[in-house]
Amino acid sequence: MYVLITIVGLLVTLFFLAGFWRGLQNAIAEYRSGAPEPTDVPDYGYGSLAAVSVIASAVIIAGVGFSPAMIYAGPLLALVTAAGCGLAFFVEQTRA
Amino acid sequence: MDKSIFAAMPSLTPTLGFASMIGLGLFSLALSYAVKTLLVRNTHDFIIADRRVGFGFGVGSVIAVWTWAMAVMMSSAMTYQWGLSGLFWFVVPNGFAVMAMIPFARILRKNMPEGYTISEFIEYRFSRSKVATAIVTVTMIFGIILEILINLKGTSVVVSTVFGIDWKVATVVGIICVLVYSYFGGLWTSVMTGTLNTLMITVPAAIVVAAVYAVIPGGSEAVFKAAGAADARNLSVLRPDAAAGFGITLAFGLLAATVSDQTFWQKVWAIKSRDVGRVFLWSGALFYPIPICLGMLGLVGIAYGLKPADFGGDIVAVGPYIVSHIGLGLTLVLLYVLVILAACYSTIDGASAALSSVVAVDIVKRYFPQTSESSLFVITKLSVLLGGIIATLIVLSGLDFTTLVLTTYALKTSILLPLVLSILWPKTNMVGFVGGIALAIAVGMPIYATAGELIGTLSILAISGLTVVIAGLIGGKDFDLAGLRRIGDEVSAPAE
């Protein structure tokens, strides 16, 4: 599991850095363009998605008490966090 | 399980410790200088990043500022102390507190699009009431200073423990590393270094925790069995004593820590308006795995029957002790130190950026409105240094933080419901807002001191909330939040 997590961790790092580079380029391009940013705020409440993530975290922690394999859920999900941050750069809308 | 496996590593020298701290600082400084050159021309850019922080940087930076150095260690410590119930009560409210910002962030960003600080909102919400505004401003400043000094203290303890560096020297070196790079780029620097720090927290944490289990004979199964054998309650999330002991109090404290914290409000007004809601959703959800991952170190401590005396008496040190004594390679131990340093630096630079917005908008622009843009820019940048210096002096003085912690806790918890109601409930008025906070401190804090944390916290919340509601019902007037859209930008970017 250690080897797997290390390899996946390296791949996730590359994905994250690619996203970071994209985000940096977007930020600089938008700043230079000087185009005004819209001020509209979407009406999505995200309540149900937030509830799902809260429940999921509780279930995962509880799951550790039922199976030793679940101990590795934490490290694996930490990689999901890094991948999620990288993904956020790729799904963001840009105006530049 | 035989705890003779734990032994000190002679290769962890002070030189390595300094190299780790200064290396991360220099890396951040280089990035900060590039950010300053490319993205920061004036106070507006420095404190609000021209309101152009995108989704990616928003998510990465919110996770980074919420991942305190102490939180990295506390997740292991709470698991060690209470088993999985400790981890449950530490983790679940933590991510929820970030997502709880969503409704408030959406409402204020929509109705006050040119805002900078939560104190500025209160100023306009309550007809420029100096008392209400001053209370919120002071609370924000106290909270920011506390964030800086707690992270500084936590990190200096870890660095001194692992590398044998004098903790006072570690404190000074640490704060210099952060302040030097924070000074240059303001919020943009904080956002970008924070995002990179999220990477430096998550991937190394996953690798180090997996490595710890890899060196344990029998791995996760052995730890699972030994933790259960030590006490079956260690593997349950349903221990009522954990909830009563710290869980419920912590849950409310965490809510106050986000909703009553300018570090988060600054980001509400800096992130692109269309992304505000989903940034806090993703950040809260993606934060969860970090403490869950590091909490697994606490189970190792239980399984091996470690006693607090084994690692200096403070259970917060259980994670660092396990990683630095269980026989990992030097690289892995340094990776773990990097996790803590990244958490520390990102929280301190986020707090420093928040302080700069408070100083610029809530102090200089409010009390000295004629200040020129060039002077404001200099003062704003100097405020970053000032906050760090004050926090460092408090840490170095060796003073007990208890008074500052309690004062900040009292202010933040007392302000929570009045602040929430001032955003959500149009009938909230100035008398209720100020009266609720004052009564909560005057009556609630003595209850807190005598009846304990749980009853005290619930009392503070009940007193502050009820006072606002009663005053609002008696006052009867509705405030038109949409009227705040007319408010202009207090620190608008000067014309080119």
Side-chain angles (χ1 to χ4, degrees), chain B residues 121-180:
Chain B
F121 161 69
I122 291 298
E123 181 186 13
Y124 290 107
R125 175 67 175 81
F126 296 119
S127 310
R128 293 184 178 267
S129 160
K130 288 184 177 172
V131 178
T133 312
I135 289 172
V136 177
T137 303
V138 168
T139 303
M140 295 305 136
I141 292 173
F142 270 48
I144 288 166
I145 298 292
L146 192 66
E147 275 177 48
I148 296 174
L149 72 84
I150 284 181
N151 278 277
L152 203 53
K153 179 69 180 176
T155 307
S156 69
V157 167
V158 171
V159 171
S160 61
T161 304
V162 174
F163 298 106
I165 298 173
D166 180 84
W167 70 268
K168 289 184 177 177
V169 177
T171 301
V172 173
V173 172
I175 196 68
I176 288 174
C177 288
V178 183
L179 293 185
V180 164

Short mmCIF file of all heavy atoms in Angstrom, two decimals, chain B residues 121-180:
data_model
loop_
_atom_site.label_atom_id
_atom_site.label_comp_id
_atom_site.label_asym_id
_atom_site.label_seq_id
_atom_site.Cartn_x
_atom_site.Cartn_y
_atom_site.Cartn_z
N PHE B 121 -19.01 45.60 6.82
CA PHE B 121 -20.43 45.25 6.70
C PHE B 121 -21.20 45.71 7.92
O PHE B 121 -22.27 46.31 7.81
CB PHE B 121 -20.58 43.73 6.51
CG PHE B 121 -21.97 43.22 6.83
CD1 PHE B 121 -23.05 43.53 6.01
CD2 PHE B 121 -22.20 42.45 7.96
CE1 PHE B 121 -24.34 43.07 6.32
CE2 PHE B 121 -23.45 41.99 8.28
CZ PHE B 121 -24.54 42.30 7.47
N ILE B 122 -20.66 45.43 9.11
CA ILE B 122 -21.34 45.82 10.35
C ILE B 122 -21.48 47.34 10.42
O ILE B 122 -22.51 47.88 10.87
CB ILE B 122 -20.56 45.28 11.58
CG1 ILE B 122 -20.67 43.75 11.62
CG2 ILE B 122 -21.06 45.90 12.88
CD1 ILE B 122 -22.08 43.21 11.79
N GLU B 123 -20.47 48.05 9.95
CA GLU B 123 -20.52 49.51 9.96
C GLU B 123 -21.76 50.02 9.20
O GLU B 123 -22.51 50.87 9.69
CB GLU B 123 -19.24 50.08 9.34
CG GLU B 123 -19.21 51.60 9.33
CD GLU B 123 -17.99 52.14 8.57
OE1 GLU B 123 -17.33 51.38 7.86
OE2 GLU B 123 -17.74 53.35 8.69
N TYR B 124 -21.97 49.48 8.02
CA TYR B 124 -23.11 49.95 7.22
C TYR B 124 -24.42 49.31 7.67
O TYR B 124 -25.49 49.88 7.53
CB TYR B 124 -22.85 49.66 5.74
CG TYR B 124 -21.77 50.55 5.17
CD1 TYR B 124 -20.51 50.04 4.87
CD2 TYR B 124 -22.00 51.91 4.97
CE1 TYR B 124 -19.51 50.86 4.37
CE2 TYR B 124 -20.99 52.73 4.47
CZ TYR B 124 -19.76 52.20 4.18
OH TYR B 124 -18.77 53.02 3.69
N ARG B 125 -24.33 48.10 8.19
CA ARG B 125 -25.54 47.38 8.62
C ARG B 125 -26.20 48.10 9.81
O ARG B 125 -27.43 48.10 9.94
CB ARG B 125 -25.16 45.95 9.01
CG ARG B 125 -26.27 45.08 9.60
CD ARG B 125 -27.33 44.77 8.58
NE ARG B 125 -28.32 43.85 9.10
CZ ARG B 125 -29.34 44.19 9.89
NH1 ARG B 125 -29.48 45.46 10.26
NH2 ARG B 125 -30.21 43.29 10.31
N PHE B 126 -25.37 48.70 10.68
CA PHE B 126 -25.90 49.35 11.88
C PHE B 126 -25.64 50.84 11.87
O PHE B 126 -25.20 51.43 12.88
CB PHE B 126 -25.33 48.68 13.14
CG PHE B 126 -25.74 47.23 13.27
CD1 PHE B 126 -24.79 46.23 13.29
CD2 PHE B 126 -27.08 46.87 13.33
CE1 PHE B 126 -25.17 44.90 13.38
CE2 PHE B 126 -27.46 45.54 13.42
CZ PHE B 126 -26.50 44.54 13.44
N SER B 127 -25.90 51.46 10.74
CA SER B 127 -25.87 52.93 10.61
C SER B 127 -24.59 53.53 11.17
O SER B 127 -24.62 54.49 11.94
CB SER B 127 -27.08 53.55 11.32
OG SER B 127 -28.26 52.92 10.90
N ARG B 128 -23.49 52.97 10.82
CA ARG B 128 -22.16 53.46 11.21
C ARG B 128 -21.98 53.51 12.73
O ARG B 128 -21.30 54.40 13.25
CB ARG B 128 -21.89 54.83 10.59
CG ARG B 128 -21.76 54.77 9.07
CD ARG B 128 -21.39 56.10 8.48
NE ARG B 128 -21.23 56.02 7.04
CZ ARG B 128 -20.07 55.79 6.42
NH1 ARG B 128 -18.99 55.60 7.13
NH2 ARG B 128 -20.00 55.74 5.12
N SER B 129 -22.59 52.58 13.42
CA SER B 129 -22.41 52.50 14.88
C SER B 129 -20.94 52.24 15.21
O SER B 129 -20.36 51.23 14.80
CB SER B 129 -23.27 51.38 15.45
OG SER B 129 -22.79 51.00 16.72
N LYS B 130 -20.36 53.17 15.97
CA LYS B 130 -18.93 53.02 16.29
C LYS B 130 -18.70 51.87 17.26
O LYS B 130 -17.68 51.18 17.20
CB LYS B 130 -18.39 54.33 16.88
CG LYS B 130 -18.24 55.41 15.82
CD LYS B 130 -17.61 56.65 16.37
CE LYS B 130 -17.44 57.67 15.24
NZ LYS B 130 -17.00 58.98 15.71
N VAL B 131 -19.66 51.67 18.16
CA VAL B 131 -19.50 50.60 19.15
C VAL B 131 -19.53 49.23 18.47
O VAL B 131 -18.64 48.40 18.68
CB VAL B 131 -20.60 50.69 20.23
CG1 VAL B 131 -20.46 49.55 21.23
CG2 VAL B 131 -20.55 52.02 20.95
N ALA B 132 -20.57 49.04 17.65
CA ALA B 132 -20.71 47.74 16.97
C ALA B 132 -19.50 47.46 16.09
O ALA B 132 -18.95 46.36 16.08
CB ALA B 132 -21.99 47.72 16.14
N THR B 133 -19.08 48.49 15.35
CA THR B 133 -17.95 48.31 14.45
C THR B 133 -16.67 48.04 15.20
O THR B 133 -15.86 47.17 14.81
CB THR B 133 -17.77 49.58 13.59
OG1 THR B 133 -19.05 49.95 13.06
CG2 THR B 133 -16.82 49.35 12.45
N ALA B 134 -16.48 48.77 16.31
CA ALA B 134 -15.25 48.58 17.09
C ALA B 134 -15.18 47.18 17.68
O ALA B 134 -14.11 46.55 17.68
CB ALA B 134 -15.17 49.63 18.20
N ILE B 135 -16.32 46.68 18.16
CA ILE B 135 -16.33 45.33 18.74
C ILE B 135 -15.89 44.30 17.70
O ILE B 135 -15.05 43.44 17.96
CB ILE B 135 -17.75 44.97 19.27
CG1 ILE B 135 -18.08 45.78 20.51
CG2 ILE B 135 -17.85 43.47 19.56
CD1 ILE B 135 -19.52 45.61 20.98
N VAL B 136 -16.45 44.43 16.50
CA VAL B 136 -16.12 43.45 15.47
C VAL B 136 -14.66 43.61 15.03
O VAL B 136 -13.94 42.62 14.84
CB VAL B 136 -17.08 43.59 14.26
CG1 VAL B 136 -16.70 42.62 13.16
CG2 VAL B 136 -18.51 43.32 14.71
N THR B 137 -14.21 44.85 14.89
CA THR B 137 -12.82 45.06 14.47
C THR B 137 -11.85 44.48 15.48
O THR B 137 -10.88 43.78 15.12
CB THR B 137 -12.55 46.58 14.29
OG1 THR B 137 -13.48 47.10 13.35
CG2 THR B 137 -11.13 46.82 13.78
N VAL B 138 -12.10 44.77 16.75
CA VAL B 138 -11.21 44.25 17.81
C VAL B 138 -11.23 42.72 17.81
O VAL B 138 -10.19 42.06 17.94
CB VAL B 138 -11.62 44.80 19.19
CG1 VAL B 138 -10.93 44.06 20.32
CG2 VAL B 138 -11.30 46.29 19.27
N THR B 139 -12.42 42.15 17.65
CA THR B 139 -12.53 40.68 17.62
C THR B 139 -11.70 40.11 16.49
O THR B 139 -10.99 39.10 16.65
CB THR B 139 -14.00 40.25 17.45
OG1 THR B 139 -14.77 40.83 18.50
CG2 THR B 139 -14.14 38.75 17.49
N MET B 140 -11.78 40.74 15.32
CA MET B 140 -11.03 40.23 14.17
C MET B 140 -9.52 40.32 14.43
O MET B 140 -8.77 39.39 14.13
CB MET B 140 -11.37 41.03 12.91
CG MET B 140 -12.81 40.88 12.46
SD MET B 140 -13.29 39.17 12.21
CE MET B 140 -14.90 39.15 13.01
N ILE B 141 -9.09 41.45 15.00
CA ILE B 141 -7.64 41.62 15.25
C ILE B 141 -7.16 40.60 16.28
O ILE B 141 -6.13 39.95 16.09
CB ILE B 141 -7.34 43.06 15.71
CG1 ILE B 141 -7.58 44.03 14.55
CG2 ILE B 141 -5.90 43.18 16.21
CD1 ILE B 141 -7.48 45.49 14.93
N PHE B 142 -7.91 40.43 17.36
CA PHE B 142 -7.55 39.43 18.38
C PHE B 142 -7.46 38.04 17.75
O PHE B 142 -6.53 37.28 18.00
CB PHE B 142 -8.59 39.42 19.51
CG PHE B 142 -8.28 40.36 20.63
CD1 PHE B 142 -7.92 41.67 20.38
CD2 PHE B 142 -8.36 39.96 21.95
CE1 PHE B 142 -7.64 42.55 21.41
CE2 PHE B 142 -8.08 40.82 22.99
CZ PHE B 142 -7.72 42.13 22.72
N GLY B 143 -8.46 37.72 16.94
CA GLY B 143 -8.49 36.40 16.31
C GLY B 143 -7.28 36.17 15.42
O GLY B 143 -6.68 35.09 15.42
N ILE B 144 -6.92 37.20 14.66
CA ILE B 144 -5.78 37.09 13.74
C ILE B 144 -4.48 36.91 14.51
O ILE B 144 -3.66 36.04 14.19
CB ILE B 144 -5.72 38.34 12.83
CG1 ILE B 144 -6.87 38.29 11.81
CG2 ILE B 144 -4.38 38.43 12.11
CD1 ILE B 144 -7.12 39.59 11.09
N ILE B 145 -4.29 37.73 15.54
CA ILE B 145 -3.06 37.61 16.34
C ILE B 145 -2.97 36.22 16.97
O ILE B 145 -1.91 35.58 16.99
CB ILE B 145 -3.02 38.69 17.45
CG1 ILE B 145 -3.01 40.10 16.83
CG2 ILE B 145 -1.82 38.50 18.38
CD1 ILE B 145 -1.75 40.46 16.10
N LEU B 146 -4.12 35.74 17.44
CA LEU B 146 -4.15 34.41 18.06
C LEU B 146 -3.80 33.32 17.04
O LEU B 146 -3.04 32.40 17.35
CB LEU B 146 -5.52 34.14 18.67
CG LEU B 146 -5.62 32.93 19.58
CD1 LEU B 146 -4.77 33.13 20.83
CD2 LEU B 146 -7.06 32.65 19.97
N GLU B 147 -4.34 33.45 15.84
CA GLU B 147 -4.01 32.48 14.78
C GLU B 147 -2.52 32.43 14.54
O GLU B 147 -1.91 31.37 14.42
CB GLU B 147 -4.69 32.88 13.46
CG GLU B 147 -6.10 32.41 13.30
CD GLU B 147 -6.73 32.90 12.01
OE1 GLU B 147 -6.09 32.78 10.95
OE2 GLU B 147 -7.85 33.43 12.07
N ILE B 148 -1.91 33.62 14.46
CA ILE B 148 -0.47 33.68 14.18
C ILE B 148 0.32 33.05 15.31
O ILE B 148 1.19 32.20 15.09
CB ILE B 148 -0.03 35.14 13.94
CG1 ILE B 148 -0.71 35.70 12.68
CG2 ILE B 148 1.49 35.22 13.79
CD1 ILE B 148 -0.45 37.18 12.44
N LEU B 149 0.01 33.46 16.54
CA LEU B 149 0.86 32.98 17.64
C LEU B 149 0.66 31.50 17.96
O LEU B 149 1.62 30.81 18.33
CB LEU B 149 0.73 33.88 18.87
CG LEU B 149 -0.51 33.89 19.74
CD1 LEU B 149 -0.44 32.77 20.76
CD2 LEU B 149 -0.57 35.21 20.47
N ILE B 150 -0.56 31.00 17.77
CA ILE B 150 -0.77 29.57 18.03
C ILE B 150 0.00 28.73 17.01
O ILE B 150 0.65 27.74 17.35
CB ILE B 150 -2.27 29.22 18.02
CG1 ILE B 150 -2.93 29.70 19.31
CG2 ILE B 150 -2.49 27.72 17.86
CD1 ILE B 150 -4.39 29.40 19.43
N ASN B 151 -0.06 29.15 15.75
CA ASN B 151 0.67 28.40 14.73
C ASN B 151 2.17 28.51 14.91
O ASN B 151 2.92 27.55 14.70
CB ASN B 151 0.24 28.87 13.34
CG ASN B 151 -1.05 28.22 12.90
OD1 ASN B 151 -1.05 27.11 12.41
ND2 ASN B 151 -2.16 28.90 13.14
N LEU B 152 2.59 29.70 15.30
CA LEU B 152 4.01 29.92 15.53
C LEU B 152 4.51 29.06 16.69
O LEU B 152 5.57 28.41 16.61
CB LEU B 152 4.22 31.40 15.85
CG LEU B 152 5.58 32.00 15.62
CD1 LEU B 152 6.08 31.74 14.21
CD2 LEU B 152 5.53 33.50 15.89
N LYS B 153 3.74 29.06 17.75
CA LYS B 153 4.11 28.29 18.93
C LYS B 153 4.14 26.79 18.61
O LYS B 153 5.10 26.09 18.95
CB LYS B 153 3.11 28.57 20.06
CG LYS B 153 3.37 27.81 21.34
CD LYS B 153 4.63 28.29 22.03
CE LYS B 153 4.88 27.53 23.32
NZ LYS B 153 6.14 27.93 23.92
N GLY B 154 3.09 26.33 17.95
CA GLY B 154 3.00 24.91 17.61
C GLY B 154 4.18 24.47 16.76
O GLY B 154 4.79 23.42 17.00
N THR B 155 4.51 25.29 15.79
CA THR B 155 5.60 24.92 14.89
C THR B 155 6.94 24.96 15.59
O THR B 155 7.79 24.08 15.39
CB THR B 155 5.61 25.88 13.69
OG1 THR B 155 4.31 25.87 13.13
CG2 THR B 155 6.61 25.42 12.65
N SER B 156 7.13 25.97 16.43
CA SER B 156 8.42 26.06 17.13
C SER B 156 8.61 24.86 18.06
O SER B 156 9.71 24.34 18.20
CB SER B 156 8.52 27.37 17.91
OG SER B 156 7.64 27.37 19.01
N VAL B 157 7.50 24.40 18.64
CA VAL B 157 7.59 23.23 19.52
C VAL B 157 8.01 22.00 18.72
O VAL B 157 8.90 21.24 19.12
CB VAL B 157 6.24 22.98 20.23
CG1 VAL B 157 6.21 21.60 20.88
CG2 VAL B 157 5.98 24.06 21.27
N VAL B 158 7.38 21.82 17.55
CA VAL B 158 7.70 20.65 16.74
C VAL B 158 9.13 20.70 16.23
O VAL B 158 9.89 19.73 16.34
CB VAL B 158 6.72 20.54 15.54
CG1 VAL B 158 7.19 19.46 14.57
CG2 VAL B 158 5.34 20.22 16.04
N VAL B 159 9.53 21.86 15.70
CA VAL B 159 10.88 21.98 15.15
C VAL B 159 11.93 21.80 16.24
O VAL B 159 12.95 21.14 16.03
CB VAL B 159 11.05 23.35 14.44
CG1 VAL B 159 12.50 23.58 14.05
CG2 VAL B 159 10.16 23.40 13.21
N SER B 160 11.64 22.36 17.40
CA SER B 160 12.62 22.21 18.49
C SER B 160 12.66 20.77 18.98
O SER B 160 13.73 20.25 19.32
CB SER B 160 12.29 23.17 19.64
OG SER B 160 11.02 22.88 20.17
N THR B 161 11.50 20.10 18.99
CA THR B 161 11.46 18.71 19.44
C THR B 161 12.19 17.78 18.46
O THR B 161 12.98 16.93 18.86
CB THR B 161 10.00 18.23 19.59
OG1 THR B 161 9.33 19.11 20.47
CG2 THR B 161 9.93 16.81 20.12
N VAL B 162 11.91 17.98 17.17
CA VAL B 162 12.46 17.06 16.17
C VAL B 162 13.95 17.32 15.93
O VAL B 162 14.74 16.39 15.80
CB VAL B 162 11.67 17.18 14.85
CG1 VAL B 162 12.33 16.33 13.74
CG2 VAL B 162 10.23 16.72 15.05
N PHE B 163 14.33 18.61 15.86
CA PHE B 163 15.70 18.94 15.46
C PHE B 163 16.59 19.43 16.61
O PHE B 163 17.77 19.71 16.40
CB PHE B 163 15.68 20.01 14.37
CG PHE B 163 14.99 19.56 13.11
CD1 PHE B 163 13.73 20.04 12.79
CD2 PHE B 163 15.59 18.65 12.25
CE1 PHE B 163 13.08 19.63 11.65
CE2 PHE B 163 14.94 18.23 11.10
CZ PHE B 163 13.68 18.72 10.79
N GLY B 164 16.02 19.57 17.79
CA GLY B 164 16.82 20.02 18.92
C GLY B 164 17.22 21.49 18.86
O GLY B 164 18.20 21.90 19.48
N ILE B 165 16.44 22.28 18.12
CA ILE B 165 16.70 23.72 18.05
C ILE B 165 16.02 24.40 19.23
O ILE B 165 14.92 23.99 19.62
CB ILE B 165 16.14 24.31 16.73
CG1 ILE B 165 16.82 23.66 15.53
CG2 ILE B 165 16.30 25.82 16.68
CD1 ILE B 165 16.21 24.05 14.21
N ASP B 166 16.68 25.43 19.78
CA ASP B 166 16.04 26.19 20.85
C ASP B 166 14.71 26.74 20.35
O ASP B 166 14.64 27.34 19.25
CB ASP B 166 16.97 27.35 21.26
CG ASP B 166 16.36 28.18 22.37
OD1 ASP B 166 16.50 27.77 23.53
OD2 ASP B 166 15.72 29.21 22.05
N TRP B 167 13.64 26.57 21.11
CA TRP B 167 12.31 26.93 20.60
C TRP B 167 12.18 28.43 20.33
O TRP B 167 11.44 28.85 19.43
CB TRP B 167 11.21 26.44 21.55
CG TRP B 167 11.11 27.17 22.86
CD1 TRP B 167 11.71 26.83 24.02
CD2 TRP B 167 10.36 28.36 23.13
NE1 TRP B 167 11.39 27.73 25.00
CE2 TRP B 167 10.56 28.68 24.50
CE3 TRP B 167 9.53 29.18 22.37
CZ2 TRP B 167 9.97 29.79 25.10
CZ3 TRP B 167 8.94 30.29 22.96
CH2 TRP B 167 9.17 30.58 24.32
N LYS B 168 12.93 29.24 21.07
CA LYS B 168 12.86 30.69 20.83
C LYS B 168 13.50 31.04 19.48
O LYS B 168 12.99 31.87 18.74
CB LYS B 168 13.55 31.45 21.96
CG LYS B 168 12.77 31.39 23.27
CD LYS B 168 13.43 32.24 24.35
CE LYS B 168 12.56 32.22 25.61
NZ LYS B 168 13.16 32.96 26.71
N VAL B 169 14.61 30.39 19.19
CA VAL B 169 15.26 30.62 17.90
C VAL B 169 14.34 30.14 16.77
O VAL B 169 14.19 30.81 15.75
CB VAL B 169 16.63 29.89 17.84
CG1 VAL B 169 17.27 30.06 16.48
CG2 VAL B 169 17.54 30.39 18.94
N ALA B 170 13.72 28.98 16.97
CA ALA B 170 12.81 28.44 15.96
C ALA B 170 11.65 29.40 15.72
O ALA B 170 11.20 29.60 14.58
CB ALA B 170 12.29 27.07 16.41
N THR B 171 11.15 30.03 16.80
CA THR B 171 10.05 30.98 16.67
C THR B 171 10.46 32.17 15.80
O THR B 171 9.74 32.57 14.87
CB THR B 171 9.64 31.49 18.07
OG1 THR B 171 9.24 30.38 18.86
CG2 THR B 171 8.49 32.48 17.98
N VAL B 172 11.63 32.71 16.09
CA VAL B 172 12.09 33.91 15.35
C VAL B 172 12.35 33.57 13.89
O VAL B 172 11.92 34.28 12.97
CB VAL B 172 13.36 34.49 16.02
CG1 VAL B 172 13.94 35.61 15.18
CG2 VAL B 172 13.03 35.00 17.42
N VAL B 173 13.04 32.45 13.66
CA VAL B 173 13.33 32.06 12.27
C VAL B 173 12.03 31.81 11.51
O VAL B 173 11.86 32.24 10.36
CB VAL B 173 14.23 30.80 12.25
CG1 VAL B 173 14.39 30.27 10.83
CG2 VAL B 173 15.60 31.12 12.84
N GLY B 174 11.11 31.13 12.15
CA GLY B 174 9.83 30.83 11.50
C GLY B 174 9.07 32.07 11.09
O GLY B 174 8.61 32.20 9.95
N ILE B 175 8.94 33.02 12.01
CA ILE B 175 8.14 34.22 11.69
C ILE B 175 8.85 35.07 10.63
O ILE B 175 8.19 35.66 9.76
CB ILE B 175 7.83 35.04 12.97
CG1 ILE B 175 6.70 36.04 12.69
CG2 ILE B 175 9.05 35.79 13.48
CD1 ILE B 175 5.37 35.43 12.45
N ILE B 176 10.18 35.13 10.68
CA ILE B 176 10.91 35.89 9.65
C ILE B 176 10.65 35.27 8.27
O ILE B 176 10.38 35.99 7.29
CB ILE B 176 12.42 35.93 9.96
CG1 ILE B 176 12.67 36.84 11.17
CG2 ILE B 176 13.21 36.44 8.75
CD1 ILE B 176 14.11 36.84 11.66
N CYS B 177 10.71 33.96 8.20
CA CYS B 177 10.48 33.28 6.92
C CYS B 177 9.11 33.64 6.34
O CYS B 177 8.96 33.89 5.14
CB CYS B 177 10.58 31.76 7.10
SG CYS B 177 12.24 31.17 7.37
N VAL B 178 8.09 33.66 7.18
CA VAL B 178 6.73 33.93 6.68
C VAL B 178 6.56 35.41 6.35
O VAL B 178 6.03 35.76 5.29
CB VAL B 178 5.67 33.51 7.72
CG1 VAL B 178 4.27 33.73 7.16
CG2 VAL B 178 5.83 32.07 8.10
N LEU B 179 7.01 36.28 7.25
CA LEU B 179 6.76 37.72 7.06
C LEU B 179 7.48 38.28 5.85
O LEU B 179 6.94 39.13 5.14
CB LEU B 179 7.15 38.50 8.32
CG LEU B 179 6.30 38.23 9.56
CD1 LEU B 179 6.73 39.14 10.70
CD2 LEU B 179 4.82 38.41 9.27
N VAL B 180 8.68 37.79 5.59
CA VAL B 180 9.45 38.32 4.46
C VAL B 180 8.67 38.11 3.16
O VAL B 180 8.57 39.02 2.33
CB VAL B 180 10.84 37.65 4.40
CG1 VAL B 180 11.50 37.89 3.05
CG2 VAL B 180 11.72 38.20 5.51
#
